[in-house]
Amino acid sequence: MKEYEVIWEIFNKCPRNQMRDVMVEELMLDDPEEYVKKKFEGKEVSYEKTMLADGTLVFDITTSQMKQRCSFTEI
């Protein structure tokens, strides 16, 4: 298992409100992708996975017509 700082962003759909919800936590995980799949289990979801140059794993997620982003940085 590895320890990650996880940043979860939920983007606001309102055109005049560009604020977003941001949650930060530290988690011990074997597989960040499996964590994302379990978080949305039973829901219709699509995501794109990207590895940044610094090693951060980013999931751009769409579910219930809402855009979300989950970033995993190894601690």
Side-chain angles (χ1 to χ4, degrees):
M1 264 192 192
K2 295 181 181 178
E3 187 174 11
Y4 293 93
E5 176 185 69
V6 181
I7 300 174
W8 199 279
E9 301 170 88
I10 301 173
F11 297 89
N12 193 319
K13 290 172 42 174
C14 299
R16 295 187 188 269
N17 183 352
Q18 296 303 312
M19 297 299 292
R20 59 183 167 220
D21 294 328
V22 179
M23 285 79 52
V24 179
E25 60 185 328
E26 293 180 6
L27 298 173
M28 295 293 292
L29 300 170
D30 285 323
D31 182 4
E33 188 166 4
E34 193 61 34
Y35 172 81
V36 171
K37 288 178 183 179
K38 284 183 181 179
K39 188 157 186 86
F40 293 100
E41 195 169 36
K43 298 179 182 177
E44 192 171 319
V45 64
S46 64
Y47 63 85
E48 226 177 272
K49 179 171 70 169
T50 307
M51 178 72 76
L52 302 181
D54 68 356
T56 299
L57 187 57
V58 178
F59 292 86
D60 287 302
I61 303 160
T62 303
T63 185
S64 302
Q65 299 180 8
M66 289 187 68
K67 182 179 176 190
Q68 301 183 36
R69 178 174 292 137
C70 192
S71 304
F72 297 83
T73 304
E74 195 173 336
I75 298 175

